[in-house]
Amino acid sequence: MIHVTIYRNDKEECVGFLTDGHAGYNEEGHDIVCAAASVLIINTMNAIELYAQDTCSLVTNEETGMISYHLTSGHPSKNAELLLKTMILGLEEMVADENYAEYIDLTFEEV
């Protein structure tokens, strides 16, 4: 299962996230749940770098599926906030889909 924890500050702004695990929906290379989550998450990080230019810290481990991403300022720019909200929307839709809910979970934590 893919575990995603969204980190929010006291203003409810997303300031980072942690992913861990693999979906296990299908074998590697054929896992559409893993592919969908990966696209949402990686595209968001790339878009923030390109369009928002917020500084971040990033640690990854491909073997375990871990991505630790944090905005270093403690609050997102308007562009980064929109991009992160869009990622969260996509992940929430995956969690709400009865076909995929058992392969991904999403939690929110105040930091």
Side-chain angles (χ1 to χ4, degrees), residues 58-111:
L58 174 65
V59 178
T60 64
N61 182 323
E62 192 173 325
E63 243 181 69
T64 64
M66 188 274 294
I67 299 172
S68 177
Y69 181 88
H70 300 275
L71 299 176
T72 56
S73 67
H75 60 87
S77 65
K78 287 188 183 236
N79 288 342
E81 183 175 24
L82 178 60
L83 292 164
L84 288 160
K85 283 181 177 181
T86 303
M87 178 192 76
I88 293 166
L89 175 64
L91 293 169
E92 287 174 331
E93 291 295 320
M94 290 179 69
V95 170
D97 189 308
E98 65 185 37
N99 296 307
Y100 309 122
E102 68 183 277
Y103 302 100
I104 183 168
D105 72 17
L106 181 63
T107 57
F108 295 86
E109 186 177 308
E110 187 175 322
V111 292

Side-chain angles (χ1 to χ4, degrees), residues 6-66:
I6 305 294
Y7 298 117
R8 290 184 168 163
N9 63 19
D10 59 353
K11 295 180 181 179
E12 298 281 318
E13 299 168 320
C14 178
V15 294
F17 55 86
L18 174 69
T19 70
D20 194 39
H22 293 285
Y25 180 81
N26 205 336
E27 63 187 65
E28 186 178 338
H30 300 279
D31 193 324
I32 61 173
V33 176
C34 187
S38 295
V39 165
L40 287 168
I41 292 163
I42 293 168
N43 190 62
T44 298
M45 293 185 304
N46 290 340
I48 289 171
E49 181 180 355
L50 185 62
Y51 299 115
Q53 290 136 4
D54 293 47
T55 57
C56 70
S57 70
L58 174 65
V59 178
T60 64
N61 182 323
E62 192 173 325
E63 243 181 69
T64 64
M66 188 274 294

